[in-house]
Amino acid sequence: MSLRPNRPLPLATPAGVEVLTRIITEEPIPRVEIARRTGLSQAAVTKAVAPLIEAGFVTDQPTGPAEELAEGQLGIGRPVSPLTVVADSVSVIGLKVTPTDLIGVTTDFRAGIRTVRHQQLSGTTPDLVLERLTTLAEELIGALDDDAGPLIGIGVAVSGDVDAPHGVVRDSPFMGWRDVPVAELLTEKLGVPVVVSNDVRALTVAEHWFGVGVGVDSFAVVTIGSGVGCGLYVNGEVVSGANGVSGELGHLPLAPGDLVCTCGRRGCVETVASSDAILARTRETTGRADLDLSGAIDLAHAGDEHAREAFDRAGEVIGSALAAMVNLVGPELVVIAGEGVADYDLYEQRMREAFAAHAFGAAGDARLKLRSHTFDDWARGAAAIVIRSYVRGERPFQR
Amino acid sequence: MSLRPNRPLPLATPAGVEVLTRIITEEPIPRVEIARRTGLSQAAVTKAVAPLIEAGFVTDQPTGPAEELAEGQLGIGRPVSPLTVVADSVSVIGLKVTPTDLIGVTTDFRAGIRTVRHQQLSGTTPDLVLERLTTLAEELIGALDDDAGPLIGIGVAVSGDVDAPHGVVRDSPFMGWRDVPVAELLTEKLGVPVVVSNDVRALTVAEHWFGVGVGVDSFAVVTIGSGVGCGLYVNGEVVSGANGVSGELGHLPLAPGDLVCTCGRRGCVETVASSDAILARTRETTGRADLDLSGAIDLAHAGDEHAREAFDRAGEVIGSALAAMVNLVGPELVVIAGEGVADYDLYEQRMREAFAAHAFGAAGDARLKLRSHTFDDWARGAAAIVIRSYVRGERPFQR
């Protein structure tokens, strides 16, 4: 494995970036189709593609028996095969930080997962977590195959308000972090470009470039679990928020105003819909202070009225929050994800009822789609952010 | 005035559309700057601009003493002046429909208002309203100056769920309309292309192309009055909703669940924040069934406790709705508009308090900006929709 963190992409113009983006997200794709979809001339597409092929990031050679034929041909002497990305041209590492575990993956240029490593945390202080992140990253670097491409960068996904352009976690209530310069500290230790992102936004970017979002005009990824989050893709891009905040579905004021959220505000969705809130409610109504979350889930599955009520309450406010979101943004597709998907049967009905009651007109026609979820997906999201920043020449990959 | 509804724009490619859009929305702008902002080559920009100049839609001649000098020059023999739109190259009509009045304007290619006409309505049946719209449009056509450009089309703005691609008002509770094919009926009577749009979305397009939204990365227009609406501009485009519905801020479930909305749902923002809701509440608490809205406003200004409470209640839920919107979408700027702006002093304080209490982190840094409002702005919004559809070659201006 050769560590060449600054392996440059030969992309000099915005048109070049757009061409490579189309190849990565819509491959296999013929040159003529890229021209049609972007409005660029065929000559401009050919000109942008040539150096990418020469440098080994893109190929127009058939790569396997499943390869589709080109829809259009450019003429005699021109290649007829559609363009695809050379998956092994680069390697990427994605890391997800939670208060109890670190999850790390290595991926190729298509965000295809190659290796997975989990590591338990014994604490959440920035010093400790960054030390463990470094160890985990080194382990993953060591695990890169000989035929894997050079490592271009490491992505880190953290919940909360993340200042991605500066690589700083501004405020992560789950981690108890404020103003932690993750990118700077990790880059120093590892000597590799590091990108930091809000975890839900990273997941949304992964779905946009490599997942259910490909070819969908607008979609939302709603994550349910220890928090309730939402990533939005609309008008050709993930919504990032002018001040770095967006998709805070868990903090819409839709719950009773006497409940105080971990964020300090009143009536947030998370005060009844987070897994902690569901557990607290079940403990309170059953009088069993010793319950843990899986105990509460077992009770609800066994038909315990109190436990079921806690999930009903969560389902109701999640449904109202989904309705509020579709009424405002009107996405085509809503993907339900997050670790809470494992208990979806416990709140689905009330969620759907509340959604139907409050979705306005045709906004309620948005498709709801459940996505089985693993923590590896979060780490893959962090890798997708690296790939996107690299292609776009964003910090720290400025060209 | 020559009526040439199909005066064609010489725009053959997506690049041409983008170039003209930049000129209209960012004029005066030099060719080199268009190339920089779009990523097109300077040659491509020059090629797209030439036929527009020849056909008289765009000019690179100084048009007045205030004309700025070009920031960049393309070389010897090339024009040095930045490009501007020829305002009089076309004329446009915009019409706004309300249950009591029609408002009509004529504008130039920059959506600059030239003429305004108001007309009272004696009823809201589609037949009656369409007859009056026809008369008003004919009056406005007759009022076009001799030096005004040929009329390219008529825009109609209506509140509710509007199927813009088909020109049909699907559901307008205020008008009591369902499935009214406005575009088809008016085109038949007037022989001019007609575009129909949701009124708030039209206002947002006008702000995006010609107003506060120029140069702003993301903004929301929130309209307060007989209804509560919201237009969103994010990621380079107005949010239109995959199923035609978006920005339904008035129908977020943030009010008490025992209140039934005019839309039939429970707990919508409009159940306490629409002008009708404020009036109904004031009548109820003061016991004065004879009050009208201006009477309720006078009472509140005079310090009447009951009237003030009705406005406080409205302010609180509007503030919560604004917070929900910025938490989800995170715009840079929120423009408060609509006829309710006239009574803004009565609910501003409670609105700001509720906004501050529920806005999440940096999302609350969105600038709130009050916009003085006239009904003419709604009609201008309808004209802006025509201009945008014309430039983009959308229905009914397909090229």
Side-chain angles (χ1 to χ4, degrees):
Chain A
M1 207 290 307
S2 64
L3 189 66
R4 273 198 289 158
N6 289 314
R7 182 181 184 187
L9 266 176
L11 292 172
T13 64
V17 172
E18 195 171 351
V19 167
L20 179 54
T21 303
R22 294 277 172 173
I23 298 170
I24 289 191
T25 58
E26 297 167 32
E27 62 172 358
I29 184 170
R31 291 173 178 81
V32 63
E33 186 58 23
I34 296 176
R36 200 185 64 76
R37 293 185 199 171
T38 57
L40 293 167
S41 69
Q42 294 192 19
V45 173
T46 299
K47 193 177 157 194
V49 166
L52 290 168
I53 291 181
E54 201 188 342
F57 292 98
V58 166
T59 181
D60 56 6
Q61 301 302 309
T63 54
E67 196 67 51
E68 287 170 35
L69 282 177
E71 287 172 31
Q73 303 189 357
L74 289 176
I76 293 164
R78 298 291 185 90
V80 297
S81 280
L83 299 161
T84 53
V85 154
V86 177
D88 282 332
S89 57
V90 305
S91 293
V92 184
I93 288 178
L95 305 169
K96 155 78 172 172
V97 179
T98 82
T100 56
D101 297 88
L102 301 179
I103 301 100
V105 298
T106 64
T107 82
D108 58 28
F109 202 18
R110 287 174 173 144
I113 294 180
R114 297 293 173 98
T115 326
V116 179
R117 290 278 191 289
H118 289 217
Q119 189 163 107
Q120 283 202 325
L121 282 178
S122 56
T124 60
T125 62
D127 280 355
L128 175 77
V129 176
L130 284 162
E131 194 195 302
R132 294 297 160 82
L133 276 174
T134 307
T135 314
L136 181 57
E138 284 167 347
E139 217 179 279
L140 287 163
I141 291 171
L144 285 170
D145 288 338
D146 284 344
D147 57 350
L151 178 68
I152 52 165
I154 296 176
V156 182
V158 186
S159 77
D161 179 356
V162 177
D163 178 348
H166 296 96
V168 177
V169 176
R170 291 280 173 225
D171 185 9
S172 176
F174 279 127
M175 297 304 294
W177 288 5
R178 273 191 178 268
D179 295 319
V180 180
V182 173
E184 189 188 325
L185 296 171
L186 279 186
T187 304
E188 210 170 273
K189 290 185 180 184
L190 293 162
V192 182
V194 174
V195 177
V196 187
S197 171
N198 167 277
D199 54 354
V200 182
R201 211 161 304 150
L203 201 62
T204 310
V205 168
E207 294 294 347
H208 169 211
W209 274 44
F210 306 105
V212 297
V214 175
V216 177
D217 280 340
S218 56
F219 68 91
V221 178
V222 173
T223 58
I224 300 172
S226 54
V228 175
C230 176
L232 295 167
Y233 170 82
V234 67
N235 292 337
E237 188 52 87
V238 173
V239 176
S240 58
N243 299 297
V245 175
S246 69
E248 290 294 349
L249 199 75
H251 300 281
L252 301 191
L254 290 164
D258 56 335
L259 299 175
V260 178
C261 186
T262 50
C263 76
R265 294 173 191 82
R266 286 177 175 278
C268 292
V269 165
E270 287 188 2
T271 61
V272 300
S274 74
S275 36
D276 274 358
I278 292 172
L279 174 58
R281 177 73 171 182
T282 311
R283 283 177 174 170
E284 183 193 324
T285 51
T286 58
R288 290 180 49 180
D290 60 318
L291 271 181
D292 61 7
L293 185 63
S294 64
I297 291 168
D298 289 347
L299 268 187
H301 276 140
D304 179 276
E305 217 175 286
H306 297 299
R308 293 201 71 97
E309 187 263 353
F311 282 95
D312 279 350
R313 219 167 68 126
E316 171 130 11
V317 79
I318 293 170
S320 297
L322 289 181
M325 186 269 288
V326 302
N327 289 358
L328 274 178
V329 180
E332 183 180 330
L333 170 70
V334 179
V335 181
I336 316 265
E339 65 271 23
V341 161
D343 332 311
Y344 189 63
D345 59 308
L346 291 173
Y347 53 85
E348 177 180 8
Q349 194 189 335
R350 286 297 271 277
M351 187 197 88
R352 286 191 180 270
E353 284 167 9
F355 179 74
H358 295 299
F360 188 79
D365 296 344
R367 282 182 291 135
L368 296 190
K369 184 171 174 171
L370 201 65
R371 193 190 195 298
S372 67
H373 180 81
T374 72
F375 271 103
D376 305 348
D377 289 337
W378 290 107
R380 178 171 173 265
I385 290 274
V386 171
I387 296 168
R388 193 180 69 162
S389 302
Y390 178 63
V391 168
R392 291 184 174 176
E394 292 168 355
R395 193 178 174 284
F397 301 102
Q398 272 141 354
R399 285 186 285 269
Chain B
M1 207 292 304
S2 65
L3 189 66
R4 273 199 289 158
N6 289 316
R7 182 181 185 187
L9 266 176
L11 293 172
T13 63
V17 172
E18 196 171 351
V19 167
L20 180 55
T21 302
R22 293 279 173 173
I23 299 170
I24 290 191
T25 58
E26 296 166 33
E27 62 172 357
I29 183 169
R31 290 173 178 80
V32 63
E33 186 59 23
I34 296 176
R36 200 184 63 76
R37 293 186 199 171
T38 58
L40 294 166
S41 69
Q42 293 192 20
V45 173
T46 299
K47 194 177 157 193
V49 166
L52 290 168
I53 292 182
E54 202 188 342
F57 291 98
V58 165
T59 181
D60 57 6
Q61 300 303 307
T63 55
E67 196 66 51
E68 288 170 33
L69 282 177
E71 287 171 32
Q73 303 189 357
L74 290 177
I76 292 164
R78 296 292 185 88
V80 296
S81 279
L83 298 160
T84 54
V85 154
V86 178
D88 283 331
S89 57
V90 305
S91 293
V92 184
I93 287 177
L95 305 169
K96 156 77 173 172
V97 179
T98 83
T100 56
D101 297 87
L102 301 179
I103 302 100
V105 299
T106 64
T107 82
D108 57 29
F109 202 17
R110 286 175 172 141
I113 293 181
R114 297 293 172 97
T115 327
V116 180
R117 291 278 192 288
H118 289 217
Q119 191 164 106
Q120 284 201 324
L121 282 179
S122 56
T124 60
T125 62
D127 281 356
L128 175 77
V129 175
L130 284 163
E131 194 195 302
R132 292 296 159 81
L133 276 175
T134 308
T135 312
L136 180 58
E138 285 168 346
E139 219 180 280
L140 288 163
I141 291 172
L144 286 171
D145 288 338
D146 284 344
D147 59 350
L151 178 68
I152 52 165
I154 295 176
V156 182
V158 186
S159 76
D161 179 356
V162 176
D163 178 348
H166 296 97
V168 176
V169 176
R170 291 281 172 225
D171 184 8
S172 176
F174 279 128
M175 297 303 295
W177 288 6
R178 272 193 178 265
D179 296 319
V180 180
V182 172
E184 189 188 326
L185 296 171
L186 279 186
T187 304
E188 210 170 89
K189 289 185 179 182
L190 293 163
V192 182
V194 174
V195 177
V196 187
S197 171
N198 168 277
D199 53 354
V200 182
R201 211 161 302 151
L203 201 62
T204 310
V205 168
E207 295 294 347
H208 169 211
W209 275 44
F210 306 106
V212 296
V214 175
V216 177
D217 280 339
S218 57
F219 68 91
V221 178
V222 174
T223 59
I224 300 171
S226 53
V228 175
C230 176
L232 295 167
Y233 171 83
V234 66
N235 291 339
E237 189 53 87
V238 173
V239 176
S240 58
N243 298 296
V245 175
S246 68
E248 290 293 348
L249 198 75
H251 300 281
L252 302 191
L254 291 164
D258 57 335
L259 298 175
V260 178
C261 186
T262 49
C263 76
R265 293 173 190 82
R266 286 176 175 278
C268 293
V269 165
E270 287 188 2
T271 61
V272 299
S274 74
S275 36
D276 274 359
I278 293 171
L279 175 57
R281 177 73 173 183
T282 312
R283 282 177 175 169
E284 184 192 326
T285 50
T286 59
R288 290 181 49 180
D290 60 319
L291 271 182
D292 62 6
L293 185 62
S294 63
I297 292 169
D298 289 347
L299 269 187
H301 277 141
D304 178 277
E305 217 174 285
H306 297 300
R308 293 201 71 97
E309 187 264 352
F311 281 95
D312 280 348
R313 218 166 69 125
E316 172 130 9
V317 78
I318 293 170
S320 297
L322 289 181
M325 186 269 289
V326 302
N327 289 358
L328 275 178
V329 181
E332 181 180 331
L333 170 70
V334 179
V335 181
I336 316 264
E339 65 270 23
V341 161
D343 331 313
Y344 189 63
D345 58 308
L346 290 173
Y347 54 84
E348 178 181 7
Q349 194 191 333
R350 286 296 271 275
M351 187 195 87
R352 286 191 181 269
E353 284 167 8
F355 178 76
H358 296 298
F360 188 81
D365 295 344
R367 283 181 291 136
L368 296 190
K369 183 171 175 171
L370 201 65
R371 193 191 195 295
S372 67
H373 179 81
T374 73
F375 271 103
D376 305 347
D377 289 336
W378 291 106
R380 178 172 173 265
I385 290 276
V386 171
I387 296 167
R388 193 182 69 162
S389 301
Y390 178 63
V391 168
R392 292 185 174 177
E394 292 168 354
R395 194 178 174 284
F397 301 103
Q398 273 140 354
R399 286 186 285 268

